[in-house]
């Protein structure tokens, strides 16, 4: 019998802990997301929980998002993992509270915890860690719980657990806190288990994406109805943004994976066919996913060249191919790369496998935003109204008029041009 609509099956018997963190943008020149110290800490914590635990058969020790298979639906996989976790361990950093993705993971677990065990909502199932210290002017009520882990270790509050993980001089303090955290996880999971239950999806607990997104993923690919002769239709759909270059190996279109990467880096994102994205590409950073088969049809080269003419510097292209595809796209990849160069885009990357696609995406999103901050025109706002002098008498307000939405400044979360802080 199938589960009721709206319910998600959760794999039993569960997981000791779920590690949540704010993804960091890769430094310039890096090819992939570089949260290496999160990975090191996760491995150390997994080993220590394993040492202290007495798990039931089949129970997993830990989960973090680098365990998600390449072609999976990220949000569905996270919801399933959140529904199986006994303890949620967020790594608090200044970036954590500005990342809707990370906060969505926390809110999803809190909602599940409240529904499953309202009387025990604070009984160790949410165990935060101070990962990176906060500036003195930035306060969050959640930080007090994170500091509880190491009240007797001054280096922890001063430097955060990441520094203790990185530096050999803090090895003793790091191992003490690691053992203490693992002990709390084991105590909660084994003595006060929640058991698997449904966790809301991230889209259920985060605010809807704004109408004007921070980031765009545009797709230049044929539709199923306009494929070049003899091209296998597998992976194509009625819209280019639904294109799946790796076929059944990916659960979602390539554009959705790219958009998820932008969201994990704190940017609201929208996917669109290239032809429909012209207005957005003029004023928002973007990754452009290009299928080389777009130039394989007769007379297609000129039409595509016209489409690409005048692209902004903040539109970063990626030519996507599949080494396992029996239909060789090498010739067309060369053709479309030359067109992109001719359009004024000197750096054109190519992903030939799903792994390359996933690994490149954080750097491409970051580069597009960097180019936008560098090249986008400064928005000029009108000067403030002069303050009237008392000698001038009371001002005449005149008839009330509604504000012009077009003159309002962008949302503070929107990327700013000309070197402003991301």
């Amino acid at each position: 019998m199938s589960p009721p609509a709206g319910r998600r099956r959760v794999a039993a018997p569960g997981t000791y802990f779920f590690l949540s963190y704010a993804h960091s943008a890769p430094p310039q020149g890096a090819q992939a997301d570089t949260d290496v110290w999160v990975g090191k800490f996760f491995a150390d914590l997994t080993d220590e929980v394993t040492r202290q635990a007495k798990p039931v058969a089949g129970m997993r020790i830990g989960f973090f998002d680098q365990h998600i298979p390449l072609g999976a639906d990220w949000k569905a996989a996270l919801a399933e993992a959140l529904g199986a976790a006994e303890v949620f361990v967020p790594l608090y950093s200044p970036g954590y509270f500005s990342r809707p993705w990370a906060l969505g993971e926390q809110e999803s677990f809190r909602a599940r915890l409240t529904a499953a065990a309202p009387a025990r909502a604070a009984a160790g199932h949410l165990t935060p860690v101070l990962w990176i210290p906060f500036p003195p002017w930035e306060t969050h009520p959640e930080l007090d719980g994170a500091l509880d882990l190491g009240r007797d270790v001054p280096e922890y509050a001063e430097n955060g657990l990441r520094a203790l993980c990185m530096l050999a001089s803090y090895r003793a303090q790091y191992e003490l806190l690691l053992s203490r955290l693992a002990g709390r996880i084991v105590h909660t999971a084994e003595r006060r288990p929640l058991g698997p239950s449904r966790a809301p999806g991230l889209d259920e607990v985060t605010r809807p994406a704004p109408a004007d997104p921070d980031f765009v993923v545009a797709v230049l690919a044929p539709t199923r109805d306009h494929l070049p002769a003899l091209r296998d239709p597998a992976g194509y759909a009625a819209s280019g943004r639904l294109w799946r270059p790796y076929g059944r190996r990916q659960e979602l279109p390539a554009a959705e994976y790219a958009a998820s990467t932008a969201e994990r880096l704190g940017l609201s994102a929208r996917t669109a066919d290239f032809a429909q994205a012209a207005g957005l590409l003029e004023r928002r950073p973007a990754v452009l996913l290009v299928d080389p088969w777009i130039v394989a049809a007769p007379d297609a080269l000129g039409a595509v060249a016209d489409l690409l003419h005048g692209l902004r510097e903040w539109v970063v292209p990626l030519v996507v191919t599949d080494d396992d595809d029996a239909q060789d796209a090498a010739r067309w990849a060369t053709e479309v790369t030359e067109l992109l160069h001719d359009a004024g885009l000197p750096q054109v990357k190519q992903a030939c496998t799903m792994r390359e696609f996933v690994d490149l995406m954080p750097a491409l999103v970051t580069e597009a935003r960097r180019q936008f901050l560098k090249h986008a025109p400064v928005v000029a706002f009108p000067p403030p109204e002069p303050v009237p002098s008392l000698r001038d008498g009371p001002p005449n307000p005149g008839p009330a008029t509604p504000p012009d939405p077009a003159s309002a400044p962008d949302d503070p979360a929107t990327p700013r041009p000309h070197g402003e802080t991301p």
Side-chain angles (χ1 to χ4, degrees):
M1 183 175 179
S2 59
R7 295 186 64 85
R8 184 181 292 104
R9 292 184 300 172
V10 180
T15 308
Y16 271 82
F17 71 93
F18 180 110
L19 190 67
S20 175
Y21 65 102
H23 284 252
S24 56
Q28 190 166 6
Q31 293 299 308
D33 194 351
T34 52
D35 291 303
V36 293
W37 293 107
V38 174
K40 171 68 165 60
F41 172 69
F42 175 82
D44 291 343
L45 184 59
T46 298
D47 289 344
E48 185 62 22
V49 171
T50 301
R51 190 183 69 81
Q52 297 188 28
K54 298 177 181 178
V56 299
M59 187 166 182
R60 296 176 62 178
I61 296 299
F63 175 94
F64 79 141
D65 57 20
Q66 292 183 32
H67 283 171
I68 298 176
L70 289 180
D73 180 334
W74 271 70
K75 292 180 180 178
L78 287 172
E80 183 174 347
L82 286 162
E86 290 293 339
V87 179
F88 182 85
V89 182
L91 301 183
Y92 286 160
S93 64
Y96 194 95
F97 294 97
S98 64
R99 298 283 196 272
W101 189 281
L103 290 176
E105 292 174 346
Q106 181 168 268
E107 289 308 309
S108 173
F109 187 83
R110 278 179 168 163
R112 174 194 165 218
L113 186 58
T114 300
R120 296 178 293 167
H125 292 282
L126 199 156
T127 304
V129 169
L130 179 66
W131 188 239
I132 298 174
F134 285 68
W137 59 86
E138 187 173 343
T139 59
H140 298 276
E142 296 93 339
L143 289 180
D144 196 55
L147 291 170
D148 279 344
L149 179 67
R151 297 282 183 187
D152 56 340
V153 183
E155 296 88 350
Y156 171 64
E158 182 178 354
N159 303 298
L161 198 59
R162 186 182 72 161
L164 274 59
C165 176
M166 293 170 62
L167 302 175
S169 57
Y170 293 132
R171 189 67 193 175
Q173 295 92 328
Y174 176 67
E175 290 181 350
L176 170 65
L177 295 177
L178 191 71
S179 177
R180 184 177 296 173
L181 176 60
R184 292 182 179 185
I185 292 170
V186 170
H187 178 86
T188 299
E190 294 184 354
R191 299 195 182 188
R192 292 196 299 270
L194 292 170
S197 59
R198 181 185 181 274
L202 267 61
D203 289 336
E204 299 176 56
V205 294
T206 56
R207 63 182 182 180
D212 193 7
D214 299 331
F215 197 87
V216 181
V217 180
V219 182
L220 185 56
T223 61
R224 183 182 290 270
D225 295 336
H226 294 87
L227 284 173
L230 304 179
R231 176 59 175 151
D232 186 344
Y236 294 92
S239 169
R241 68 185 182 87
L242 301 179
W243 171 49
R244 300 177 189 230
Y246 304 107
R248 295 180 180 178
R249 286 168 287 162
Q250 57 184 125
E251 295 185 25
L252 296 176
E256 292 293 337
Y257 289 115
S260 291
T261 300
E263 289 171 358
R264 292 198 302 275
L265 294 174
L267 304 171
S268 62
R270 181 186 301 174
T271 65
D273 285 10
F274 181 75
Q276 280 74 53
L280 283 172
L281 298 182
E282 284 291 310
R283 53 190 177 82
R284 287 293 179 262
V287 165
L288 173 61
L289 306 180
V290 184
D291 178 7
W293 290 96
I294 194 72
V295 298
D299 303 322
L301 279 172
V304 172
D306 290 342
L307 285 174
L308 297 176
H309 179 70
L311 281 179
R312 298 288 194 168
E313 297 91 338
W314 52 79
V315 179
V316 175
L318 178 65
V319 178
V320 184
T321 59
D322 182 6
D323 279 350
D324 293 333
D325 188 344
Q327 292 181 293
D328 186 16
R331 172 191 169 188
W332 310 119
T334 300
E335 297 274 12
V336 80
T337 298
E338 290 177 356
L339 288 181
L340 290 163
H341 286 320
D342 292 343
L345 303 174
Q347 299 296 323
V348 181
K349 300 290 187 181
Q350 182 173 349
C352 301
T353 66
M354 191 185 300
R355 166 56 68 188
E356 288 182 351
F357 179 89
V358 171
D359 285 349
L360 279 169
M361 200 49 60
L364 296 180
V365 170
T366 303
E367 179 60 20
R369 192 161 185 262
R370 184 181 292 117
Q371 292 298 324
F372 180 79
L373 295 172
K374 180 179 179 181
H375 294 287
V378 176
V379 178
F381 296 111
E385 293 286 339
V387 178
S389 167
L390 292 177
R391 291 177 298 178
D392 297 333
N396 179 13
T401 56
D404 179 7
S407 67
D410 290 342
D411 184 87
T414 303
R416 303 287 185 174
H418 284 295
E420 295 182 23
T421 302

